Amino acid sequence: MNKTKSSPKHFIRSIASNDIERGVYEGLYTRFPPEPNGYLHLGHAKSICLNFGLAEDMGGRCNLRFDDTNPEKESIEYMESIKNSVAWLGFEWAHLRYASDYFEDLYGFAVQLIEKGLAYVDDLDAEQMREYRGTLTEPGKNSPSRSRDIKENLDLFARMRAGEFEEGSYVLRAKIDMSSPNIVMRDPIIYRIRYAHHYRAGDAWCIYPMYDFTHCISDALEGVTHSLCTLEFQDNREIYDWILANITIEENLLGDKGRTMPRQIEFGRMNLEYSLASKRKLVQLVNEEHVSGWDDPRLTSLEGLKRRGYTPASIRNFCAEIGVTKKDSVIEMTVLENAIRNDLEASAKRVFGVLQPLKVVITNYPEDTTESFTVKNHPKDEEMGTRELSFSREVYIDREDFMMDPPTDFFRLSPGKEVRLRYGYAITCDDVITDDAGEIIELHCRYDPLSAKGKTADGRKIKGIIHWVNAADAINVETRVYDRLFTAANPGAADDFIALINPNSLQTYADAKVEASVLHADPEDRFQFERVGYFCFDSKDSASGKLVMNRTVSLRDTWAKQQR
RNA sequence: UGGGGUGUGGCGAAGCGGUUAACGCACCGGAUUUUGAUUCCGGCAUACGAAGGUUCGAAUCCUUCCACCCCAGCCA
């Protein structure tokens, strides 16, 4: 696997190193704070690389913290999957934390706020609450509960926790400003009643803190210095700062007292063309079985990409490549493909594989002879060694490398034409055998015995070079070739994204053939099928009896491009 | 009609008052090549959302305007 590029400069790094230089903070501390309510995708990878990467580069630390304050959506399964994905990308968290571990502390801070007259228990129902909130252009108005005295608030809040009230009957609100132009500041709810089982806290609680209250405090407790999040939280920064300014944290989890509060910085989301990140839509794709599951290799979930054959390094390089700015970006698929090609070009073993086998009989080659060519596993990297490639009278070539009636610039095989079998001999096509339906089933060719080792006796150049596998010991393998899942660059914007599913996003070649050496490969190995693309074993469906290989990405193909 | 953001080539992205306006992807040429791969060379914005202004000098400063994104969950 390749090294990852060092992350480039961007505005967050400048701010952070500036803060450290000026002594605002002693060292960098970040966190990646997913809610365990789904699987990670490429967009999360950007955040992971930003948070963990920055800490790595600046000699800081980064926590993995689950922002698990909504028991109705979260589960252990998601949490485990997220941990695996972060680890797979190659990052190590300083601490594994859970917001749910802070529930007791959070409750205490809420009490602090009430005691200061900065929070109150409200009995408005959801609809009234919305009415009182005002609109984008009109200020809200104070709830009648806003004037409730501190003692009563304390009592009510304690009874909320004790389970004396129904869901939705009371909430705890911060007392800020109902006429703030920033709607987030219009007395935001910080606790609600929910009789739901929490995947970690169990049934210990029936009140749960809201994001705005929880997140900033969690950061502060963990000693986070820079709290990086996406653009849509810009308005929330005001409440983030307000909460931290109005509570007193005696000592954080690191044992620090009087530590400087964390600073929230927002960055733009990444969108990938021809893909979907919306959780709801992905669930639909999975449930309606348009894809095989959350780890379908056509999905840009991290598990999908992993199964597809993407390496952690390629994803980290991709994230370094797309940059970090304050605007939402739309990244072209080729950037992702470029990242994995760069990695695999250097690291993948070269091997011969034929997706659509066409039998070639070499009529002037002896029937009972097998010879062996010693070939390189990598054209440039000698350290990757060599392997033996067997050759005999019958071989398979790819149907795409033969054309009955080719254009002049097609320099592969066709009737009467000569082509080189890579690493082997030059052959000329004499006969094309068809079946009753006119389907080509076999080619009869003649080889030039003096054409081994890339030479020819008369010095003639052979332009066309094709790959092949020896029929006698070829291994059968099912190969799955993937294309973009959608036919539109932004399927999420369409009314009916299901209608935009690319019918050719998965093509299965059940009878593909690969050279014998693949049998002894490690399940984790990646290959380049020369002239075809990069492949890996499918982690779910491949077994020793039945090999299944996924095409991670094709090779660049100027010939195919020219044909379009 | 409120508030918060963003606008540099097809897509990303540097640039922070004086640069020929980096770089990556894509694209177009050409060289090398037993992968039509890789590699290598070369091309690719008189132009920085628009219009004014300040200045000897602006993508960078000021003004106005325009476009797009986010915010009215007891989601995060």
Side-chain angles (χ1 to χ4, degrees):
Chain A
M1 211 174 296
N2 277 337
K3 278 189 222 126
T4 51
K5 294 171 195 160
S6 65
S7 12
K9 303 271 173 281
H10 51 69
F11 78 102
I12 293 180
R13 174 188 295 258
S14 311
I15 293 172
S17 49
N18 223 298
D19 284 348
I20 306 297
E21 262 171 45
R22 290 189 358 240
V24 181
Y25 303 103
E26 278 178 31
L28 182 80
Y29 211 134
T30 55
R31 100 271 91 117
F32 172 60
E35 182 186 12
N37 69 344
Y39 302 92
L40 260 30
H41 56 76
L42 252 197
H44 294 108
K46 175 178 179 179
S47 176
I48 293 168
C49 290
L50 210 210
N51 281 291
F52 283 96
L54 203 56
E56 245 174 33
D57 292 349
M58 293 179 57
R61 288 180 285 178
C62 181
N63 287 352
L64 170 59
R65 179 177 73 235
F66 287 96
D67 220 338
D68 52 356
T69 56
N70 185 354
E72 287 162 324
K73 291 186 174 176
E74 299 152 5
S75 74
I76 288 186
E77 185 197 342
Y78 291 134
M79 188 263 283
E80 291 297 342
S81 164
I82 289 168
K83 276 165 64 179
N84 285 336
S85 289
V86 174
W88 176 66
L89 283 176
F91 292 110
E92 285 178 30
W93 42 83
H95 295 282
L96 176 61
R97 308 282 198 190
Y98 299 84
S100 53
D101 284 345
Y102 310 143
F103 281 170
E104 193 60 55
D105 302 86
L106 260 2
Y107 181 84
F109 291 120
V111 169
Q112 266 191 34
L113 247 28
I114 296 172
E115 285 169 341
K116 287 180 167 179
L118 292 175
Y120 60 98
V121 172
D122 200 347
D123 48 35
L124 250 32
D125 65 32
E127 193 172 328
Q128 296 175 116
M129 191 88 59
R130 197 179 320 122
E131 282 162 16
Y132 274 78
R133 189 153 36 222
T135 68
L136 293 179
T137 52
E138 300 156 25
K141 55 187 185 209
N142 289 166
S143 162
S145 308
R146 206 173 200 264
S147 53
R148 205 189 297 279
D149 67 58
I150 292 174
K151 217 173 148 193
E152 191 183 350
N153 281 323
L154 250 14
D155 174 61
L156 249 18
F157 188 48
R159 289 165 64 195
M160 279 170 64
R161 175 179 184 171
E164 291 187 26
F165 308 121
E166 285 176 20
E167 271 188 18
S169 56
Y170 289 99
V171 292
L172 182 70
R173 295 229 257 170
K175 190 190 284 189
I176 308 180
D177 179 7
M178 287 308 290
S179 62
S180 171
N182 180 359
I183 294 180
V184 171
M185 297 299 275
R186 316 242 259 232
D187 289 11
I189 294 170
I190 57 180
Y191 264 93
R192 78 286 210 185
I193 300 172
R194 206 75 342 148
Y195 292 93
H197 184 83
H198 188 280
Y199 77 105
R200 294 189 79 247
D203 298 309
W205 293 85
C206 63
I207 55 172
Y208 290 93
M210 301 286 288
Y211 167 85
D212 282 323
F213 185 68
T214 310
H215 203 91
C216 53
I217 295 176
S218 303
D219 283 343
L221 284 174
E222 292 176 17
V224 164
T225 57
H226 298 266
S227 181
L228 315 182
C229 62
T230 42
L231 249 34
E232 68 271 29
F233 291 102
Q234 285 177 122
D235 291 344
N236 301 252
R237 189 172 63 232
E238 202 176 345
I239 180 71
Y240 185 104
D241 292 339
W242 186 93
I243 299 278
L244 292 183
N246 287 294
I247 61 168
T248 304
I249 295 177
E250 298 291 353
E251 183 178 327
N252 71 17
L253 265 29
L254 273 16
D256 291 347
K257 296 180 172 139
R259 191 181 171 102
T260 308
M261 290 297 112
R263 171 176 184 181
Q264 175 177 309
I265 304 170
E266 311 85 17
F267 61 92
R269 272 184 191 282
M270 188 249 354
N271 302 283
L272 221 215
E273 282 190 342
Y274 300 99
S275 71
L276 232 38
S278 148
K279 225 158 275 178
R280 200 203 101 237
K281 288 172 180 164
L282 288 171
V283 167
Q284 191 182 341
L285 282 178
V286 173
N287 287 348
E288 295 179 4
E289 298 185 354
H290 296 110
V291 296
S292 64
W294 283 94
D295 59 354
D296 188 292
R298 291 166 292 182
L299 259 22
T300 49
S301 61
L302 294 183
E303 297 200 18
L305 289 165
K306 178 183 178 185
R307 191 169 166 197
R308 172 85 170 250
Y310 275 81
T311 57
S314 70
I315 289 171
R316 291 172 67 152
N317 285 157
F318 169 78
C319 290
E321 208 58 66
I322 61 175
V324 179
T325 66
K326 283 201 79 145
K327 66 180 181 195
D328 289 319
S329 57
V330 180
I331 308 295
E332 292 177 341
M333 196 60 103
T334 53
V335 181
L336 219 210
E337 292 176 345
N338 180 63
I340 187 60
R341 281 198 189 107
N342 276 344
D343 190 358
L344 263 20
E345 152 62 25
S347 62
K349 301 172 187 169
R350 263 79 274 225
V351 103
F352 282 170
V354 167
L355 266 34
Q356 303 179 80
L358 208 210
K359 183 176 277 187
V360 170
V361 179
I362 298 153
T363 52
N364 60 336
Y365 194 87
E367 298 216 16
D368 47 6
T369 301
T370 296
E371 58 185 303
S372 180
F373 306 120
T374 301
V375 306
K376 292 180 184 172
N377 288 329
H378 188 105
K380 291 177 181 168
D381 187 352
E382 299 289 337
E383 287 184 10
M384 288 181 72
T386 60
R387 67 187 191 282
E388 294 299 310
L389 211 53
S390 66
F391 175 81
S392 58
R393 195 168 187 266
E394 295 188 353
V395 300
Y396 294 110
I397 66 166
D398 225 301
R399 295 198 97 93
E400 288 197 346
D401 287 334
F402 177 80
M403 244 184 161
M404 205 54 200
D405 189 19
T408 49
D409 57 350
F410 179 83
F411 34 85
R412 276 111 102 148
L413 199 60
S414 54
K417 294 274 287 287
E418 183 179 39
V419 79
R420 175 174 293 284
L421 294 178
R422 182 157 156 86
Y423 292 129
Y425 300 105
I427 58 169
T428 303
C429 178
D430 293 325
D431 275 309
V432 178
I433 315 299
T434 56
D435 63 11
D436 297 339
E439 185 81 9
I440 298 167
I441 51 171
E442 196 172 296
L443 263 26
H444 285 183
C445 299
R446 161 173 41 90
Y447 87 114
D448 173 2
L450 270 23
S451 65
K453 301 227 154 72
K455 307 272 194 303
T456 47
D458 58 6
R460 71 183 184 284
K461 294 273 187 217
I462 298 168
K463 176 76 172 162
I465 295 154
I466 63 174
H467 58 97
W468 51 277
V469 294
N470 185 23
D473 57 6
I475 301 164
N476 290 312
V477 52
E478 175 181 321
T479 60
R480 298 173 184 171
V481 171
Y482 305 99
D483 196 1
R484 47 181 65 146
L485 223 206
F486 296 98
T487 54
N490 185 6
D495 296 329
D496 181 11
F497 72 97
I498 297 293
L500 296 175
I501 292 176
N502 175 6
N504 303 315
S505 62
L506 167 60
Q507 247 177 68
T508 302
Y509 297 98
D511 305 311
K513 310 276 187 189
V514 292
E515 63 172 72
S517 72
V518 174
L519 240 201
H520 312 293
D522 185 283
E524 299 294 310
D525 280 348
R526 327 267 164 154
F527 305 92
Q528 184 199 95
F529 287 9
E530 292 203 39
R531 304 207 313 128
V532 180
Y534 295 99
F535 290 77
C536 67
F537 292 109
D538 186 86
S539 55
K540 268 194 179 163
D541 299 337
S542 198
S544 54
K546 184 205 176 200
L547 295 184
V548 178
M549 298 185 82
N550 295 323
R551 189 185 72 181
T552 308
V553 67
S554 69
L555 250 34
R556 281 201 185 82
D557 191 346
T558 51
W559 166 247
K561 195 192 296 174
Q562 208 175 301
Q563 296 312 100
R564 279 192 243 115

